[in-house]
Amino acid sequence: MGNQDRLLVAAAVAEAEAGALYAQNLAAIAGITDARVGPQLVRLEQLGVLVRMPRTGGDRRVYYERQNDAFWAAITALRDALVV
């Protein structure tokens, strides 16, 4: 994965509800700060497993959408294997 934050964020993305994929919510799920989540979301977007959604109205949040990819099942399995 490259680093622990990426695994934490990817696992949070895998378990979050589809409409709740934004940094603040994912930080709460992962138990880390928003500042640590942001760079990982960018990297997951670069990998093609997340897509940044267009902003609507005055909402400052940046929402993402999971792409249908085996990556998410692998992340969930890896997280479950590491959490004893």
Side-chain angles (χ1 to χ4, degrees):
M1 285 298 299
N3 67 42
Q4 182 180 3
D5 283 355
R6 192 160 307 137
L7 176 58
L8 292 171
V9 172
V13 169
E15 76 178 62
E17 294 294 323
L21 299 178
Y22 57 93
Q24 296 85 356
N25 185 52
L26 296 169
I29 293 169
I32 60 177
T33 65
D34 299 2
R36 290 172 56 191
V37 171
Q40 303 312 320
L41 292 175
V42 169
R43 184 65 181 130
L44 292 169
E45 181 182 15
Q46 291 169 342
L47 292 170
V49 295
L50 280 183
V51 172
R52 183 186 300 239
M53 303 305 294
R55 290 192 181 193
T56 57
D59 195 354
R60 295 182 57 187
R61 290 181 181 152
V62 176
Y63 287 89
Y64 291 85
E65 181 177 275
R66 271 186 304 266
Q67 296 302 288
N68 188 10
D69 196 287
F71 174 81
W72 302 114
I75 287 299
T76 300
L78 179 59
R79 181 207 54 212
D80 292 348
L82 293 174
V83 176
V84 178

